[in-house]
Amino acid sequence: NLEKCNIDCPRLLTAIEQATQKGALRLEELNLSYNKMTQMDGLVLSRILASTGTCAALGLAGCGLSGATVAACLAALLSNESLQFYARLDVSDNAIGCEAAIMFASIFVLTDRIMSLKVNNCDLTHEGLGYILMSLLTQPRLKLLEVDCNCRRTEWNSGRWHVNQMLSKLLEKCLNLQRLSIKNDPERGF
């Protein structure tokens, strides 16, 4: 757990990549949340995740990554068929947006391995949030879902019905869901 450590991400990722190539590191969890990363750092991380195939918990909250870069990391982690654990993902506080949310959804429907997903404060809009919720219908082991502060107050009336419909279906399908958070913050415009 390297959350909020202000680490040198390029140096750390190079060391991790070298260790995994030598077989000296079995990466099961990685939390780089709130450490500034470049898009190149994110792409190196996606390469590491694809090559190791053992990481089941990934924290990239507040790293400053674009939605496409986060999608590359999620695809690398979730596309591994030999993943023995259920994934715990936190990509909150990144400028993901609606288009990347649709990319996430296309990745999520290809697996049933998500146990925990946090996508708070990512400016998903109702449309992006609807796609993510729809894609999570294929996640029977989903226990935790947080999607707080993703729809700006000015957008509250557009797309709300689709989100409500997907939430109802999600509650019907994901019987193991223990925590669902979909809060807004009117003081901040959400």
Side-chain angles (χ1 to χ4, degrees):
N1 182 0
L2 300 170
E3 183 176 349
K4 297 181 183 177
C5 289
N6 198 25
I7 57 171
D8 182 353
C9 282
R11 181 175 282 171
L12 173 70
L13 292 171
T14 299
I16 290 173
E17 188 169 36
Q18 290 171 352
T20 55
Q21 287 172 348
K22 294 176 185 175
L25 179 66
R26 193 174 143 85
L27 190 64
E28 293 180 3
E29 296 185 23
L30 183 60
N31 187 353
L32 297 173
S33 295
Y34 303 101
N35 288 291
K36 289 297 171 203
M37 296 176 71
T38 65
Q39 302 314 307
M40 183 57 73
D41 295 337
L43 295 175
V44 170
L45 176 60
S46 71
R47 189 171 61 227
I48 292 168
L49 294 169
S51 67
T52 62
T54 56
C55 187
L58 181 62
L60 294 176
C63 289
L65 296 174
S66 71
T69 304
V70 173
C73 292
L74 293 176
L77 186 140
L78 292 171
S79 65
N80 189 335
E81 295 176 11
S82 64
L83 186 65
Q84 297 177 4
F85 306 103
Y86 298 107
R88 297 179 316 278
L89 311 167
D90 186 356
V91 296
S92 300
D93 298 320
N94 286 298
I96 290 170
C98 179
E99 288 181 18
I102 295 169
M103 283 190 260
F104 289 12
S106 66
I107 295 164
F108 295 163
V109 297
L110 300 176
T111 183
D112 65 351
R113 309 291 295 176
I114 299 174
M115 184 172 70
S116 170
L117 177 63
K118 296 179 182 181
V119 193
N120 299 310
N121 197 31
C122 291
D123 203 23
L124 302 179
T125 72
H126 278 113
E127 182 181 4
L129 183 55
Y131 275 101
I132 286 181
L133 292 173
M134 185 172 58
S135 71
L136 293 174
L137 296 176
T138 63
Q139 305 299 325
R141 294 167 189 89
L142 184 67
K143 290 185 178 182
L144 182 143
L145 176 61
E146 291 183 7
V147 289
D148 300 339
C149 299
N150 277 299
C151 300
R152 298 214 173 267
R153 191 173 199 164
T154 55
E155 303 164 347
W156 278 1
N157 292 326
S158 63
R160 184 175 36 176
W161 182 82
H162 182 65
V163 169
N164 289 341
Q165 185 181 30
M166 289 302 110
L167 278 171
S168 295
K169 288 183 179 182
L170 185 74
L171 293 172
E172 290 172 12
K173 294 269 187 178
C174 298
L175 301 177
N176 291 319
L177 190 64
Q178 297 172 357
R179 176 171 160 71
L180 171 64
S181 181
I182 187 167
K183 297 182 282 192
N184 282 322
D185 185 354
E187 290 180 12
R188 288 185 34 229
F190 290 95

